[in-house]
Amino acid sequence: MPKKVSNAKAPASERGILNAQPRLHQSAPEIQAYGSVSHLLPLELEEPVRLEMTEQLNLMLADTMTLRDLYKKSHWQVAGPTFYQLHLLFDKHYGEQSELVDTIAERIQLLGGISIAMAADVAETTRIARPPKGREEVPVQISRLLDAHQIIIGHCRKLAKLADQLEDAGTNDLVVSDVLRTNELQVCLSASTWWICLWCTPNNRGYAMPANAAHNMRHII
């Protein structure tokens, strides 16, 4: 048998040599389409149930990602006498919403679905109104956040009932124990700051701010 001659000029892969150089600019068909679920997971949940749950959870995920980013926008752009307290509060709420994003996405994956991920897809899906790029007054920032919370809380209550009817206890538990409770608490904290911030806006400078307002703000976080 003739001996195989190695061509030193041939690519490393053809010469049987491992190469650490990454292969760039590759593309390939999707291995699972968005809006589908894996068929053979032994979860004791019928495929139509998992399809419905992943669709609803992706809608909740898009709204949660939008609210998360809205808190970071407010954290960066807040201004005025209550800057320090709200700067910290908004960032705290941003962190809590970030944890919810992972929790919701992991539930979608567990059900065999594909979670929404990219900003452009989130913007097309969310029901939360897009804010302007510029800075808004603090009462407007807080009002915008409360409106976003209201959308998510309303969806939580409907989805929890639906999950219970479809016997998806895991989704029901996530929606009630994690998403709903976190959003309810953040609403309580954000709403309690709103009236204090009203006293600090230019349109209300003719009024006397309560003497204990700044003291109360320090204890909200």
Side-chain angles (χ1 to χ4, degrees):
M1 180 176 180
K3 185 177 180 180
K4 186 175 180 180
V5 179
S6 175
N7 184 357
K9 294 183 179 180
S13 58
E14 294 182 9
R15 289 183 281 133
I17 301 174
L18 295 177
N19 191 337
Q21 174 64 33
R23 298 181 181 181
L24 306 177
H25 314 300
Q26 296 191 74
S27 62
E30 297 175 338
I31 60 174
Q32 182 179 346
Y34 179 80
S36 66
V37 293
S38 300
H39 299 287
L40 301 177
L41 292 176
L43 298 174
E44 293 298 316
L45 286 172
E46 298 294 333
E47 185 172 328
V49 173
R50 293 189 287 122
L51 284 168
E52 177 67 22
M53 289 295 99
T54 53
E55 180 181 356
Q56 292 297 320
L57 286 169
N58 264 312
L59 183 56
M60 182 171 289
L61 178 59
D63 288 338
T64 301
M65 293 172 79
T66 303
L67 178 56
R68 175 202 63 187
D69 293 346
L70 198 55
Y71 267 114
K72 183 58 78 173
K73 178 183 188 294
S74 300
H75 167 76
W76 285 332
Q77 295 183 357
V78 67
T82 56
F83 165 81
Y84 180 72
Q85 293 87 349
L86 290 178
H87 186 69
L88 296 179
L89 181 66
F90 290 157
D91 207 39
K92 177 176 180 290
H93 287 187
Y94 166 84
E96 292 168 351
Q97 291 293 330
S98 293
E99 292 181 6
L100 288 181
V101 166
D102 276 340
T103 301
I104 298 168
E106 287 167 2
R107 180 64 188 173
I108 294 170
Q109 294 294 106
L110 188 150
L111 291 172
I114 299 293
S115 58
I116 199 167
M118 301 306 294
D121 298 323
V122 172
E124 291 177 356
T125 306
T126 184
R127 296 162 295 179
I128 297 172
R130 181 176 178 175
K133 293 180 181 178
R135 177 180 285 120
E136 296 179 294
E137 287 187 347
V138 170
V140 178
Q141 288 179 318
I142 295 177
S143 177
R144 193 178 291 281
L145 290 164
L146 292 176
D147 287 343
H149 279 295
Q150 185 176 17
I151 290 171
I152 293 174
I153 288 173
H155 189 199
C156 281
R157 300 192 189 284
K158 293 178 181 178
L159 182 53
K161 292 180 181 179
L162 178 60
D164 185 55
Q165 292 170 0
L166 297 178
E167 299 183 349
D168 183 359
T171 297
N172 176 277
D173 180 59
L174 177 147
V175 170
V176 174
S177 300
D178 296 316
V179 185
L180 180 60
R181 290 180 180 175
T182 297
N183 278 273
E184 286 179 334
L185 180 58
Q186 290 187 354
V187 163
C188 179
L189 293 175
S190 295
S192 66
T193 67
W194 185 79
W195 70 270
I196 296 175
C197 297
L198 279 178
W199 297 96
C200 303
T201 59
N203 294 332
N204 292 292
R205 285 176 182 166
Y207 299 90
M209 186 175 181
N212 64 340
H215 174 77
N216 290 341
M217 283 291 292
R218 286 197 294 270
H219 292 276
I220 287 174
I221 301 174

